Amino acid sequence: SRRAPAPAPETPAVPVPADPGLPVRQEGQLPGAERNPCCMGTEAAELLNVLTGYIEAALSDRRHLLALTRQAPAWARKDLRDIAADLQDQARQLMAAHYLITGQCYRPSISTERIYPGRWRPALRERYHAAACSGFNFARSAEDTMDPCLAKLFEEMSKESYRHAEELMRLLQRSLQGT
């Protein structure tokens, strides 16, 4: 007569740490799974509408610059495309921040309206002011949030927006040399 094998011992519900000095984590307490993380958490959620506004503004500014590129002098086209690419990256960073805060992907609105930038110099002037105002608004938002990670992101975007404004001013200066 054969005996049935002894049942396997039950595995403990809580894993035993390799180092007794380390804390034991319960299931659901994975790193980054805190209910209110210090970065991109409750403090950042207070500026969620501002964040989505910045995403839409970056994508709109990008579209305006690409439209302006089509009529720009050949010497200015690469610089305008580079700024537009930076704005695309900026929108992606902001969408990543949105996901970190909410756990949901943000879907920007898609505009199919055709943009007519108008004459070259007035359009450059308009894009300069848009970039400078973005720099100012990002700086102000960085000061307004208590979330350190969101503040850092806004500070970086403020600096980048001011760099864009400087580049647009340089393009405007060059275009005025011929007058």
Side-chain angles (χ1 to χ4, degrees):
S1 84
R2 292 187 63 168
R3 298 177 112 200
E10 288 188 34
T11 56
V14 178
V16 177
D19 180 353
L22 294 176
V24 176
R25 289 209 166 119
Q26 299 288 337
E27 189 176 343
Q29 287 185 324
L30 300 174
E34 295 178 40
R35 293 197 60 169
N36 188 17
C38 64
C39 279
M40 302 295 181
T42 304
E43 296 292 339
E46 293 178 9
L47 288 178
L48 203 53
N49 288 336
V50 171
L51 186 72
T52 57
Y54 286 147
I55 294 168
E56 297 295 337
L59 294 173
S60 174
D61 290 346
R62 175 185 174 270
R63 289 185 68 238
H64 278 86
L65 283 168
L66 291 174
L68 184 58
T69 300
R70 290 189 287 275
Q71 73 179 46
W75 54 264
R77 291 181 186 144
K78 181 187 180 312
D79 292 332
L80 293 172
R81 282 192 300 269
D82 289 347
I83 296 170
D86 287 348
L87 291 170
Q88 178 71 40
D89 291 342
Q90 196 176 80
R92 286 185 182 129
Q93 286 179 302
L94 292 165
M95 285 188 273
H98 182 279
Y99 184 83
L100 288 170
I101 296 165
T102 65
Q104 298 175 354
C105 292
Y106 178 76
R107 299 287 180 217
S109 60
I110 307 289
S111 175
T112 57
E113 109 184 44
R114 183 157 171 90
I115 296 173
Y116 297 97
R119 293 188 344 241
W120 168 242
R121 289 182 191 140
L124 264 183
R125 178 178 182 258
E126 179 183 308
R127 293 295 93 213
Y128 166 83
H129 286 295
C133 287
S134 288
F136 175 76
N137 289 328
F138 278 126
R140 193 173 60 187
S141 294
E143 292 173 2
D144 289 346
T145 184
M146 296 298 291
D147 184 288
C149 297
L150 190 59
K152 182 178 183 227
L153 178 65
F154 286 160
E155 288 166 359
E156 290 169 1
M157 292 193 173
S158 174
K159 290 174 188 171
E160 184 176 50
S161 294
Y162 281 127
R163 279 193 304 275
H164 292 160
E166 290 169 4
E167 182 65 19
L168 292 164
M169 181 184 283
R170 188 187 64 73
L171 293 175
L172 183 58
Q173 289 169 346
R174 183 168 176 190
S175 75
L176 292 171
Q177 286 177 344
T179 60

